[in-house]
Amino acid sequence: MSLHLPLPKKKKKKNKEKKMSKRRRDEYTPIAEAMSLINNKVNLIGLVLQTGFPKKSKGTDFFCLVKIIDESYPSGGLSVNIFTETMDKLPVVLNGGDIILLSQVVMKVHESVVYAVFNKKFSSFALFDGKLSTSFLPYQCYSIYLAKEQDKKFILGLRKWLVHHPTALDSSDFQSLKDIREGGGFNLLCKILRVWEIRKDEWMLLVWDGTDTPPVAINAKEHKERSKSKWGWMPLSSLPWPSHVTVTDHPDVPFVSLMRALANPRVVGKFRCVVRVVASFPWSVEEYRSPSGIYRIRLTLEDPTARIHAYLYAEDAEHFFGRYPSFDVLKRKRNLLLGISESDGDSEMNETSRNPPWIICCLFSYPIDENDVWGSRNFRIFATILLG
């Protein structure tokens, strides 16, 4: 009978693998090294270079992409695909350059591109302020995250590195709004002024990156002079005066921009604005009134600062249209409002030839749900007459 004993060399290799596995569970692997550990679980710590917009995955999870850098890999960044059961569990990075700790993420490669995958069952993350400070408390963390004493050393090291290498965050090649072209991809650093949900999982953002702002002294002077004048917040492109398509019952009230109306600290408010009407719903004037004869129309208004929906309803709409004109007169008034010439016919789709005039209107904001006054705030047009 013969005995088959394990070779000492193989045992040594197994012990080495166990030692490496333990080190990877307890310590952080530099990104450059982690990129060679395909199909292995690693712990990473890095500065957030950019984040993707959260969205629903093809399955039941929610997904976002986070790109990170560190001292070993300061350019390009490593993409980390994060999947969680609900959207509120995804990381919400407050500022570019904040620090993220990632525990037990799996390194993968696809078409020669290396990336990391966050598994909702065993991975975890924690987000920290990237600015140099003595605070080591995360402002967001995954439910199974466990803080370790050595985390402080790595966080402090990255904070110090960023102080001496501030241009590291510029490697994502951000563009300005004026340089963006239709159909192309881009990285944009901007302030989000407002968010609208157009339809399920589709959003429209109003953003500003400061590229159209003159120096802080010139801008302040122009703002002060203009706010005191009779033009107030009237769009510059409407000067010297808006069209005479409409008149209001309050001609002496100063103009405000749509953004100032949206940012009003009170839910209920009244405003006088200079806007363009870019859409009407319903489109057909035959559907402007309900079967009981009440006007119910939603107009889309815009100025250089925002785009909103505003309603024409009941007696306010009667005042606007001159009570109950014929359908032919209503159609002429609608086309005048939307900047449609008579030769364009009655097609809703012919938008390329539209040139909506700048008009003056009074807006009234109000809630329709007392339990959610801000979320249910609407705008209505009132005290305004459409001429012609």
Side-chain angles (χ1 to χ4, degrees), residues 1 25 34 53 58 71 83 147 158 165 193 202 218 226 253 305 315 335 337-338 345 352 356:
M1 182 176 68
R25 283 198 302 268
F53 199 75
K58 293 181 179 179
E71 297 173 78
F83 295 87
L158 270 180
H165 300 82
L193 301 177
E202 289 189 28
I218 298 176
R226 198 168 160 207
V253 176
T305 67
E315 64 272 9
N335 291 348
L337 198 62
L338 291 165
T352 56

Side-chain angles (χ1 to χ4, degrees), residues 348-366:
E348 180 183 6
M349 303 304 295
N350 191 3
E351 298 184 0
T352 56
S353 59
R354 291 188 194 177
N355 186 24
W358 289 104
I359 66 166
I360 302 170
C361 69
C362 291
L363 295 176
F364 169 59
S365 65
Y366 59 97

Side-chain angles (χ1 to χ4, degrees), residues 123-303:
S123 304
S124 67
F125 71 81
L127 285 166
F128 300 81
D129 193 341
K131 296 178 181 178
L132 194 60
S133 72
T134 57
S135 173
F136 296 97
L137 293 175
Y139 62 77
Q140 185 192 358
C141 59
Y142 198 61
S143 56
I144 61 175
Y145 166 73
L146 293 175
K148 300 185 289 291
E149 186 62 28
Q150 64 263 33
D151 291 351
K152 297 180 181 179
K153 177 182 69 174
F154 292 104
I155 294 170
L156 184 59
L158 270 180
R159 285 172 173 171
K160 289 181 177 179
W161 180 69
L162 181 59
V163 169
H164 294 97
H165 300 82
T167 57
L169 297 179
D170 296 336
S171 58
S172 57
D173 190 24
F174 291 108
Q175 293 176 268
S176 64
L177 286 171
K178 62 183 177 60
D179 297 325
I180 294 173
R181 296 295 179 266
E182 184 177 356
F186 57 89
N187 295 318
L188 181 66
L189 184 63
C190 63
K191 181 176 182 179
I192 299 177
L193 301 177
R194 187 168 171 82
V195 179
W196 293 271
E197 185 175 13
I198 303 173
R199 57 183 66 88
K200 184 175 176 58
D201 296 329
E202 289 189 28
W203 305 81
M204 181 171 71
L205 307 181
L206 177 66
V207 301
W208 175 69
D209 68 349
T211 52
D212 61 343
T213 305
V216 174
I218 298 176
N219 188 55
K221 182 180 179 181
E222 289 183 354
H223 168 77
K224 186 176 181 180
E225 291 177 352
R226 198 168 160 207
S227 62
K228 291 181 178 179
S229 71
K230 64 179 179 179
W231 297 286
W233 286 95
M234 194 192 322
L236 290 174
S237 55
S238 70
L239 294 177
W241 197 254
S243 67
H244 297 284
V245 172
T246 59
V247 294
T248 67
D249 298 345
H250 307 285
D252 298 325
V253 176
F255 296 118
V256 300
S257 66
L258 290 180
M259 182 51 64
R260 288 180 69 85
L262 286 167
N264 188 51
R266 296 182 178 179
V267 176
V268 177
K270 294 181 179 180
F271 318 94
R272 185 165 175 256
C273 304
V274 177
V275 300
R276 301 196 312 164
V277 180
V278 295
S280 169
F281 179 82
W283 175 257
S284 173
V285 297
E286 287 81 3
E287 299 177 29
Y288 273 10
R289 297 197 298 267
S290 69
S292 60
I294 299 175
Y295 280 105
R296 48 179 190 178
I297 309 160
R298 187 189 71 191
L299 301 179
T300 303
L301 312 180
E302 72 170 15
D303 73 359

